Amino acid sequence: MSGTPGNAPLPTPSSSAFAGDANPYAGGDPYADYRSATFDFTHLPDLADRRLGAGVLAANDEFFAERENLLNPEAAHFDPERFGHKGKIMDGWETRRRRGAAADTPHPTDEDHDWALIRLGAPGVVRGIVVDTAHFRGNYPQAVSVEAASVAGTPSAEDLLAADVRWTVLVPRTPVGGHAANGFVVRDPRRFTHLRLNQHPDGGIARLRVHGEVVPDPAWLAVLGTFDLVALENGGRAEDASDRFYSPPVHTIQPGRSRKMDDGWETRRRRDKGHDWVRYRLTEQSVPRAVEIDTGCYKGNAAGWAALSVLDATTGADPADHTTGWTEILPRTRLQPDTVHRFPLEKATTATHLRIDIYPDGGIARLRVHGSLTEEGTRRLTS
């Protein structure tokens, strides 16, 4: 899936985008000549994941393909035989071809462009953006730009388009390539809630991925009092794991229950005497009071046993050192397949990090850590 048509070079992780058309589809695997690169930011959660509550609120045009396709979590699909009454049906957002004002000016002006408004599922700091033009080979935009805003509450599209909303450019107008994952590093450290994706002057974009760090609303967490300290939407993060062979550990802190086997975290089969683990960063310094370990959809491959430990990094302890500073809060406990296990914690322990150790390997669908912030954690989150 990383082939490159012609002699177009692969970009480095710090460059912005590919350039030029891809070759016309010639049959076979449509991803065989798809252009992609490894970017440093793609290990971070997608803040525009529909499963987190993200949505495309509006677009000025979606004649050929609906704007909602932009945020579908799966890779874009291509069916060469699928046509509708408007033309080729594409799995993405595609606008009509723009025209000039008159016969003597048939081309769009330099300012003409199409746009879509995106509500992030989890507000946060954007570290990188991927504008994916998969399967748009000669009908992708000439260039794209991305702006961001921070607007409280649940604003409508009309609210976001108001003159008093301040938009910040995250990606300046930049040429992109067709049938490619066009990646952009973002260096603005501020928290944003909404994006405006612009394509110049028109065309099609298959997917938008917005990788970054979740920054929850401290006022909302204060009202909740007790909440899931490790949930992605509350600022939790899967920092590291022993194995990501079948699926990544970030799945374990997604909203809702797992719907299928690859919607959780599953490791390869161990043939040594070791075990697997995930280390999480909690929302902030807090006190966990109960945990849920869900092995949903893992029936013959669920983890056999699990143990939980916590660490408070504000003491100077290093979370990456698994031999020092950790306190066990749940001893090694037998797990059942396809089951939600609930464990009240007997001892109140202050923590910023949590580690789950599974024995010897297998799958965990979801992990929930219910608790509340300490006064220090609240102060640090609001500062």
Side-chain angles (χ1 to χ4, degrees), residues 46-59:
D46 180 6
L47 305 181
D49 192 326
R50 190 179 299 281
R51 293 167 293 186
L52 286 174
V56 187
L57 302 181

Side-chain angles (χ1 to χ4, degrees), residues 41-107:
F41 53 76
T42 54
H43 69 285
L44 296 171
D46 180 6
L47 305 181
D49 192 326
R50 190 179 299 281
R51 293 167 293 186
L52 286 174
V56 187
L57 302 181
N60 71 305
D61 187 287
E62 48 186 330
F63 184 86
F64 286 114
E66 296 82 4
R67 65 182 190 264
E68 288 85 0
N69 292 333
L70 280 170
L71 305 187
N72 287 343
E74 66 276 0
H77 176 70
F78 180 73
D79 182 350
E81 304 298 326
R82 192 178 182 207
F83 286 83
H85 67 280
K86 291 183 179 180
K88 182 75 187 72
I89 296 176
M90 297 293 290
D91 185 7
W93 168 49
E94 185 179 7
T95 66
R96 72 193 76 200
R97 299 189 187 212
R98 281 183 171 269
R99 301 299 188 219
D104 58 343
T105 55
H107 302 291

Side-chain angles (χ1 to χ4, degrees), residues 272-301:
D272 57 17
K273 298 301 181 182
H275 73 280
D276 290 316
W277 52 266
V278 182
R279 186 179 74 245
Y280 301 91
R281 185 186 67 194
L282 305 180
T283 302
E284 245 303 338
Q285 188 190 64
S286 52
V287 178
R289 293 188 173 86
V291 297
E292 297 180 42
I293 302 174
D294 183 359
T295 56
C297 302
Y298 293 112
K299 299 178 180 179
N301 52 348

